[in-house]
Amino acid sequence: MRKYFFVFFTLAVITLLSAGCLRRGSSASPQGKTDGPDEFEVVVKADKLKIYFIPKNMGNAYFDALSSGFYSAMTQLGEDNFQYYYTGPDTAEAASQIPFLEEAIQDKADAVFIAANSSSALNETFDKARKQGIRIYIINQDIPDNEARRDAAIMPVDFNTIGDSLISDLGRQMNYEGKFAILSATEDAPDQNTWIDLVKQELYGDPQYSGMELVEVVYGDDQHEKSTEEAKALLQRQPDLKGLLVPTAVGLPAAAAIIREKGLSGKIKITGLGLPSEMAEFILDGTCESFQLWNPPYEGQIGVYLVWAEKRLGFNPVPGARFSAGRLGDYEILPNGQILTLKSPMVYNLSNIREYAILF
Ligand code: RAM
């Protein structure tokens, strides 16, 4: 009897392995790390994980780059394990994302990643989604004073580093004197307003910037056309402007193009946050000496691995817990529920623009 059982058992294992229902591998601890000896575990192909990514606005190359990270991680983990929807509003008003959140709720998504256009306008819809067991992750920012309404926030960098990073780059280029302005995105944008506040804290708190004067903050709504118009109007209103700080990947190339068009390359120092692929021409022609960013695709990758760890590896995203994001390594849930993709922004200039312009 034993002989037959062994034969049967072996045939059964081979059959199950070939059908993908059995997996040879190490047992994964809740943190998603592998440990223990090889052992068979039955992996029943569960339903696909349904993930929504709702950007501030569609047609924004910055969020296209971030979305590419979701695809990379899903490819690494097996595309047939996921259903992915990259969908959102054409314009980034505070409440413009609500219909897309409702769609994800109706569709019984497992997780929604959203770059929120408002810190508070989405709270009721977040509550509704979470009551149905849908994970709400803010991505590329947080929702200040409303963190209890989300499950975690995937940050591109520690936002506390951005104020100093931006104003020090502009100050150096302006020799710490003269008038400058800020061209931001939408007036309600939580990330933009956090950065503007941090820039002002440095500007008014550090005597090295006492020779610089912030004359205006204008808003391009993360729309190329409006950013272009606002930049043109600003230069007309402020003929002795010496600097322009543009913390938006939509506004920065738009404003750089206007500075170049007006023959003011090098005369008005421009820096901010932008995509290397869209800023390369302005670095190469001297219109922009340097700008900063981080790595948007990494954020999308981390997002997929976070959902995978929670839904397939029993990971519980409590402060202090760590999970694997594949090739990117392990990430920790910080006490404030944030996950830092990188510590601080990277500076892009002539020395590295060609290397990064082909990446995003
Ligand atoms: C724009 C958006 C986004 C910001 C980037 C740098 O695409 O405002 O939120 O992270 O710029």
Side-chain angles (χ1 to χ4, degrees), residues 189-345:
D191 55 350
Q192 296 284 329
N193 290 335
T194 299
W195 301 335
I196 292 169
D197 289 345
L198 290 168
V199 164
K200 287 179 178 175
Q201 280 176 33
E202 297 296 326
L203 177 68
Y204 301 128
D206 187 332
Q208 74 171 319
Y209 302 118
S210 57
M212 294 168 65
E213 180 190 355
L214 174 57
V215 292
E216 286 194 51
V217 179
V218 297
Y219 299 93
D221 288 355
D222 266 344
Q223 299 289 339
H224 180 79
E225 295 72 22
K226 188 163 192 292
S227 299
T228 300
E229 292 317 308
E230 288 296 331
K232 280 181 186 169
L234 193 60
L235 297 189
Q236 284 164 350
R237 285 195 306 271
Q238 302 286 347
D240 52 353
L241 203 67
K242 291 287 181 292
L244 191 51
L245 185 56
V246 190
T248 146
V250 176
L252 187 59
I258 292 303
I259 286 174
R260 180 170 66 188
E261 180 187 292
K262 303 289 185 192
L264 296 170
S265 293
K267 297 185 178 71
I268 295 182
K269 303 299 185 183
I270 180 170
T271 189
L273 301 172
L275 288 171
S277 57
E278 298 197 332
M279 287 302 297
E281 66 175 289
F282 301 109
I283 293 286
L284 297 173
D285 72 14
T287 301
C288 177
E289 181 183 314
S290 64
F291 66 97
Q292 300 172 42
L293 198 69
W294 31 78
N295 190 311
Y298 281 7
E299 297 174 65
Q301 286 191 57
I302 291 167
V304 171
Y305 275 95
L306 174 59
V307 176
W308 182 261
E310 281 198 59
K311 298 291 185 180
R312 291 290 180 270
L313 302 175
F315 173 69
N316 182 13
V318 295
R322 296 175 66 81
F323 65 99
S324 166
R327 301 174 194 143
L328 300 185
D330 289 358
Y331 283 83
E332 180 180 351
I333 309 289
L334 297 179
N336 61 3
Q338 292 183 352
I339 299 159
L340 297 187
T341 303
L342 299 171
K343 175 65 181 142
S344 54

